[in-house]
Amino acid sequence: MNSTTSSDTGAEYKKEYEEAYVYAGFGIRFGASIIDTLLLLAITFPLLHLIYGNGYWTAEDSVVGIVDVLISYVLPLIATILFWVYKSATPGKMVLNVKVVHAKTGSAPTIRQSIIRYIGYYVSIFPLGLGFLWVLWDTKKQGWHDKMAGTVVIRPKNKGVEPVSFDEK
């Protein structure tokens, strides 16, 4: 196979990909984060309660112990990065058919990009969530964390909804 044929195939694939997807806006991304948060709470809260009992919820310290750190901070970090790298989406994004991809290639984000994107969440939230709200007016719907990592969030153009049609006139 010569290089012209393979680049033509790549160009055709890229064109099809670009025609099939659009950048995902704030609403669908926010919805995905709500789903992810509820799922994460459904997993971590019972684990924390199982390990620490009722005292966990009334403790004066914000961090109760090393297991608390592992379950509340390390587990979500590792799970999120693995989902981005291997599925291009967290469970919430999968439910809503949204994907996180490399901004230049459309491929799944690398581990490096995923780590930067996760750290970028903290950068995005500190100035009153401005980095997340940035999605509202950015032309590629990128938040600061996306810009830092070189990622975009996309969704299919056709959401599977059939156009309205009436059989009788």
Side-chain angles (χ1 to χ4, degrees), residues 74-147:
V74 177
L75 175 67
L77 178 141
I78 291 170
T80 301
I81 289 171
L82 290 175
F83 271 110
W84 286 338
V85 170
Y86 292 105
K87 296 290 187 180
S88 288
T90 55
K93 284 181 175 58
M94 286 189 260
V95 166
L96 298 177
N97 204 15
V98 179
K99 294 170 36 171
V100 178
V101 296
H102 190 294
K104 292 183 181 178
T105 66
S107 60
T110 64
I111 292 174
R112 181 177 186 271
Q113 283 178 303
S114 298
I115 291 169
I116 292 169
R117 191 170 194 272
Y118 197 91
I119 292 167
Y121 274 1
Y122 293 98
V123 174
S124 292
I125 203 164
F126 278 126
L128 303 174
L130 184 62
F132 292 116
L133 295 174
W134 204 263
V135 172
L136 290 168
W137 53 81
D138 187 81
T139 57
K140 290 186 176 182
K141 307 294 185 195
Q142 288 177 295
W144 291 353
H145 52 288
D146 292 310
K147 290 184 179 295

Side-chain angles (χ1 to χ4, degrees), residues 10-163:
E12 288 174 17
Y13 171 77
K14 185 177 176 185
K15 184 177 180 184
E16 286 178 31
Y17 198 73
E18 288 173 348
E19 289 176 359
Y21 289 87
V22 294
Y23 297 114
F26 182 82
I28 197 164
R29 293 173 70 161
F30 183 71
S33 71
I34 295 296
I35 293 168
D36 289 335
T37 299
L38 292 174
L39 180 61
L40 193 59
L41 293 176
I43 294 168
T44 59
F45 277 13
L47 284 174
L48 291 167
H49 184 78
L50 185 66
I51 293 164
Y52 294 108
N54 287 334
Y56 179 79
W57 311 110
T58 58
E60 292 183 19
D61 296 329
S62 59
V63 175
V64 178
I66 188 68
V67 177
D68 183 13
V69 171
L70 292 173
I71 292 172
S72 299
Y73 299 100
V74 177
L75 175 67
L77 178 141
I78 291 170
T80 301
I81 289 171
L82 290 175
F83 271 110
W84 286 338
V85 170
Y86 292 105
K87 296 290 187 180
S88 288
T90 55
K93 284 181 175 58
M94 286 189 260
V95 166
L96 298 177
N97 204 15
V98 179
K99 294 170 36 171
V100 178
V101 296
H102 190 294
K104 292 183 181 178
T105 66
S107 60
T110 64
I111 292 174
R112 181 177 186 271
Q113 283 178 303
S114 298
I115 291 169
I116 292 169
R117 191 170 194 272
Y118 197 91
I119 292 167
Y121 274 1
Y122 293 98
V123 174
S124 292
I125 203 164
F126 278 126
L128 303 174
L130 184 62
F132 292 116
L133 295 174
W134 204 263
V135 172
L136 290 168
W137 53 81
D138 187 81
T139 57
K140 290 186 176 182
K141 307 294 185 195
Q142 288 177 295
W144 291 353
H145 52 288
D146 292 310
K147 290 184 179 295
M148 289 171 64
T151 58
V152 291
V153 180
I154 59 174
R155 66 168 179 80
K157 277 185 185 178
N158 177 0
K159 294 184 181 178
V161 177
E162 186 175 326

